[in-house]
Amino acid sequence: MTGVTLLAAVSAAAAAGLLSRSFVRPPVRLAPRIAPYSERVRARLGTTVAQRVQGPSSVWGPLVTALANGLANVIDANRSGDMALRLRHAGMPMTVEDYRRRQLGFTAASFAVGLTLALLLRLSTAATLIVMVAAAMFGVTRWRSTVDRRTAERKTTMRAETHTVCQLLAVYLRTGDTPIGALERMVDRTSGIVSDELAGAVAQIRSGNPPGAVMERLGADCAEPSTGRLYRLYGATWPASGDPDALLALAEDLRAARREDLARAMAKRRTAMAIPLVLILGPILILFIAAPLPSLIFGR
C-alpha cells in the first residue's frame, strides 16, 4: 500500500462520515426541552431544583469519549481520581474528561501531521508508518509531559513561598491574632499559590467545617510535601491558638533544605560547565603530548 492509497482511503472514510452526519441528525432529547418548565414549577413550590440535563452536542460525543478513555487507560494507566489530583497539583483548571479529549485531539492532529509530512516527502510505506507512529507518540506524551512540567514548576514556587508564609503566620500569632484571624490577614495581604489554597481553607472553615480536618485534608492533597507539613502543623496547633515557635522552626528547616538544594544544583552546574572544556581541550592536549613521542621513540 502506497502513501497515496492510504491518504485516499482516509479521505474517503472522512467524506462518508461527514455525508452520513448531514443526512442522519442526532435525536433531540426531551429532558432539555422540558427542563425550564419543570425548574420553574419546582422553584414556585419551594422544592430543590434538579440539575439540568445537557443533551449530547453531537452524535460523535460518546465515540470520542470512549476513544479518549481508552487512550488514557493505555497511556496514563491511572484512575480518574488520580488524574484529577494530578491536574489539581499542576494548577490546570480542567476536568479529567477535558484533559483526555485534548490528549486524544493532539494525538490525532500529530498523526495527521506525520502522515502529511510523509506524503510530501514521498517516503516508502514502512517509512510512512514509522513517521506516523513517531508523530502519534509525540502527541500522546505531549499533555502528560505538560502536566508533569507544570507540577514541577508549581512545587518549586510553593517551596519558595512556604518559608515566607510560615514567618508571616508566626508574626500574626505573636501579635495576638487567633489562628483564623492570622490566616485571614495573611490571605488578604499576600498573593500566590499557597495563599490561594489557604483562602479556600478559610472559606471552608467559615462555612462550619472543622479546622483540623480542613487543614489535614489540604495537607494530604498538597503537591509540595513541605507545604503539606505547614498545613498539618497549623491544623494540629489550632486548638492551642497556634504555635509561633513551631512555625519559625519549620521555616528554618525549609530554609536549610533550600540552601542544600541550591548547593547541590550549583555543584551539578559546575560539573556541567567543565564537561565541554574537557571534551574540547582534552583531545588537543593529548595531541600536543603525543606529537613528539614518535621522534623520541624511533629517533625520527
Side-chain angles (χ1 to χ4, degrees):
M1 178 186 295
T2 62
V4 178
T5 306
L6 182 60
L7 179 61
V10 173
S11 302
L18 294 176
L19 185 62
S20 62
R21 182 180 179 183
S22 62
F23 285 104
V24 181
R25 295 293 180 179
V28 180
R29 305 293 180 181
L30 185 61
R33 290 188 173 185
I34 66 175
Y37 305 99
S38 62
E39 290 177 1
R40 184 177 181 183
V41 174
R42 287 175 181 270
R44 288 183 176 180
L45 295 177
T47 57
T48 304
V49 178
Q51 186 177 4
R52 181 175 296 184
V53 180
Q54 298 291 340
S57 57
S58 66
V59 72
W60 304 102
L63 179 60
V64 172
T65 302
L67 290 175
N69 293 334
L71 180 64
N73 292 332
V74 173
I75 300 303
D76 293 328
N78 286 329
R79 299 187 300 272
S80 298
D82 297 335
M83 194 64 236
L85 182 60
R86 289 179 59 192
L87 292 175
R88 288 199 302 271
H89 287 174
M92 302 174 67
M94 64 175 62
T95 61
V96 179
E97 290 74 14
D98 293 338
Y99 166 79
R100 291 178 174 178
R101 290 193 188 97
R102 294 185 182 184
Q103 188 180 39
L104 177 63
F106 204 91
T107 303
S110 301
F111 185 85
V113 170
L115 176 60
T116 304
L117 181 62
L119 293 177
L120 291 177
L121 296 177
R122 298 181 180 276
L123 300 178
S124 61
T125 304
T128 301
L129 292 177
I130 293 174
V131 170
M132 289 189 299
V133 170
M137 290 302 299
F138 171 76
V140 164
T141 58
R142 177 68 173 82
W143 273 96
R144 186 174 61 181
S145 61
T146 301
V147 172
D148 295 338
R149 176 176 53 81
R150 292 190 180 182
T151 302
E153 294 175 354
R154 187 180 176 89
K155 290 173 67 175
T156 303
T157 305
M158 294 177 69
R159 196 180 304 116
E161 293 178 355
T162 304
H163 175 263
T164 306
V165 171
C166 287
Q167 292 183 336
L168 286 176
L169 291 176
V171 170
Y172 292 152
L173 290 175
R174 283 187 171 180
T175 55
D177 268 339
T178 60
I180 186 64
L183 281 181
E184 289 180 343
R185 288 180 62 184
M186 196 275 299
V187 168
D188 292 338
R189 300 182 181 184
T190 59
S191 61
I193 301 175
V194 179
S195 179
D196 294 340
E197 291 188 351
L198 289 176
V202 170
Q204 294 181 22
I205 294 172
R206 286 301 186 186
S207 63
N209 295 314
V214 171
M215 300 304 294
E216 180 66 25
R217 184 168 58 253
L218 188 62
D221 294 340
C222 184
E224 173 56 34
S226 59
T227 309
R229 286 178 57 191
L230 168 62
Y231 297 156
R232 294 188 181 93
L233 174 63
Y234 204 78
T237 58
W238 191 287
S241 299
D243 191 350
D245 296 332
L247 291 174
L248 291 177
L250 178 59
E252 291 300 324
D253 292 341
L254 297 178
R255 183 179 181 182
R258 288 191 62 197
R259 188 183 297 113
E260 293 178 359
D261 294 339
L262 289 176
R264 285 194 293 267
M266 291 174 62
K268 292 180 180 179
R269 292 188 178 184
R270 290 195 193 99
T271 305
M273 291 174 62
I275 290 176
L277 295 177
V278 173
L279 294 178
I280 295 174
L281 297 180
I284 298 175
L285 292 176
I286 292 174
L287 289 176
F288 273 107
I289 295 173
L293 290 180
S295 60
L296 293 176
I297 296 174
F298 301 103
R300 295 179 181 178

